[in-house]
Amino acid sequence: MATPLPPNFVVPATQTETRRDPLKHGELPPLFPEKITVFNIWKYLDYKHVIGLGLTPLVALYGILTTEMQTKTLIWSTIYYYLTGLGITAGKY
């Protein structure tokens, strides 16, 4: 583990990297070749993602409407919800 620097440690300006003003830049190229409208958005959709992100909530809604709620199910779903959130937040560590 690295030794922490003392609180009064200052790096001289000559040893730092040169910095540019982040607000001064040229105009960025357009993201799409034409303006997106309601009529042409279908050309830019990735349909495997649309299906995957659309089907998941539909399956959950089907499960909510067809599964009898029990105390065991409620407890397990709450625990599972928090563990998946922890897994996403904590990552691999």
Side-chain angles (χ1 to χ4, degrees):
M1 187 185 260
T3 307
L5 297 173
N8 58 357
F9 181 78
V10 178
V11 177
T14 57
Q15 295 180 5
T16 60
E17 63 184 63
T18 57
R19 302 196 189 283
R20 296 182 299 147
D21 184 4
L23 299 178
K24 292 182 180 178
H25 56 75
E27 189 171 332
L28 297 174
L31 190 59
F32 297 106
E34 61 183 329
K35 185 175 177 178
I36 303 294
T37 64
V38 176
F39 302 108
N40 69 357
I41 194 168
W42 59 271
K43 292 191 250 179
Y44 301 103
L45 293 177
D46 187 359
Y47 286 102
K48 62 181 179 276
H49 292 134
V50 170
I51 292 169
L53 292 172
L55 193 61
T56 304
L58 291 176
V59 171
L61 184 62
Y62 174 78
I64 289 170
L65 296 175
T66 58
T67 304
E68 180 183 340
M69 181 54 76
Q70 298 179 4
T71 306
K72 295 184 290 188
T73 307
L74 181 62
I75 292 170
W76 169 245
S77 62
T78 305
I79 291 170
Y80 192 70
Y81 172 78
Y82 283 107
L83 289 177
T84 55
L86 180 64
I88 290 170
T89 305
K92 64 179 182 177
Y93 297 107

